[in-house]
Amino acid sequence: MKGLASYMVSAICLCIGLVGLFVLTESCRPARSSLPFSEVVPVTVVNGADTLTFYELHFYQVADVRNSMKLLYNELGPWDLSLYGRYEDQLPQLVWNEKELFQGGSAFTIAASGTETSAAYFATLSIVDAEQNDALAPNHPNRPQLIAYFNAAMRKLKPNREFIQVFENYRKRLE
């Protein structure tokens, strides 16, 4: 009987601990509904003595952090390159090279990524033009058009089982 009582006390303590951890984790992350749909965020990367700042378009009101990847897959087909995960090891950064987004416009290279942690939840895009200039930088002439284009496309994004299947098969090959 003592063994059963000890087991019950341990189980209850474990449940209370897990609930407390869940509440703590959820309280650390701002509610997605309180965040904007999207915003352009400066990102600074330090590599030795070099510091680079570039801009990313973050989408906070998404059901899946892979939505930016799904959007580009739907619009542009399979990605051209996969890079090490920008935010998470298990979520690679997918890149579409030299894609024309607007009729008669220039080509852009677009990287899609995202993160799902206790502190952050978003899908993201980084975009460079044909001359390798950051297309989301405040002074880039295509910035407003790109933001409007991707915001509208993300709001209309539909589920795509094909993308999920292709992406999961790709991830399994990486493991």
Side-chain angles (χ1 to χ4, degrees), residues 122-133:
F122 56 84
T124 184
L125 295 172
S126 300
I127 308 167
V128 295
D129 65 18
E131 290 79 39
Q132 301 303 305
N133 296 313

Side-chain angles (χ1 to χ4, degrees), residues 88-109:
E88 297 181 37
D89 295 344
Q90 71 273 17
L91 189 63
Q93 184 171 252
L94 303 181
V95 180
W96 284 259
N97 288 317
E98 299 178 16
K99 303 298 181 184
E100 189 176 304
L101 299 174
F102 313 112
Q103 289 289 348
S106 61
F108 296 93
T109 296

Side-chain angles (χ1 to χ4, degrees), residues 14 29 51 54 104 131 167 175:
L14 178 61
R29 181 178 12 176
T51 301
F54 62 96
E131 290 79 39
F167 182 79
E175 294 174 351

Side-chain angles (χ1 to χ4, degrees), residues 50 57 61 68 87 95:
D50 296 329
L57 181 56
Q61 306 294 328
S68 57
Y87 291 98
V95 180

Side-chain angles (χ1 to χ4, degrees), residues 10-172:
S10 295
I12 291 170
C13 288
L14 178 61
C15 287
I16 291 170
L18 288 175
V19 168
L21 179 62
F22 176 75
V23 169
L24 178 63
T25 300
E26 288 301 307
S27 66
C28 291
R29 181 178 12 176
R32 283 188 285 163
S33 61
S34 69
L35 296 171
F37 178 76
S38 70
E39 71 179 329
V40 177
V41 176
V43 177
T44 302
V45 177
V46 178
N47 185 9
D50 296 329
T51 301
L52 171 70
T53 298
F54 62 96
Y55 293 85
E56 289 183 336
L57 181 56
H58 287 198
F59 297 96
Y60 301 107
Q61 306 294 328
V62 293
D64 185 341
V65 296
R66 298 172 295 184
N67 275 11
S68 57
M69 298 172 187
K70 186 186 313 179
L71 172 67
L72 293 176
Y73 184 85
N74 290 353
E75 300 277 323
L76 306 171
W79 52 94
D80 299 310
L81 177 66
S82 174
L83 301 173
Y84 186 75
R86 177 139 160 59
Y87 291 98
E88 297 181 37
D89 295 344
Q90 71 273 17
L91 189 63
Q93 184 171 252
L94 303 181
V95 180
W96 284 259
N97 288 317
E98 299 178 16
K99 303 298 181 184
E100 189 176 304
L101 299 174
F102 313 112
Q103 289 289 348
S106 61
F108 296 93
T109 296
I110 310 150
S113 188
T115 188
E116 181 177 2
T117 66
S118 61
Y121 186 96
F122 56 84
T124 184
L125 295 172
S126 300
I127 308 167
V128 295
D129 65 18
E131 290 79 39
Q132 301 303 305
N133 296 313
D134 185 348
L136 293 172
N139 60 346
H140 196 281
N142 295 109
R143 176 185 163 134
Q145 186 179 17
L146 288 165
I147 293 169
Y149 174 83
F150 283 114
N151 275 330
M154 190 65 82
R155 287 182 192 279
K156 292 187 273 185
L157 184 64
K158 302 257 190 289
N160 184 341
R161 291 177 196 226
E162 177 188 351
F163 167 77
I164 298 300
Q165 186 176 25
V166 168
F167 182 79
E168 289 305 320
N169 288 341
Y170 172 75
R171 265 192 15 179
K172 286 177 186 171

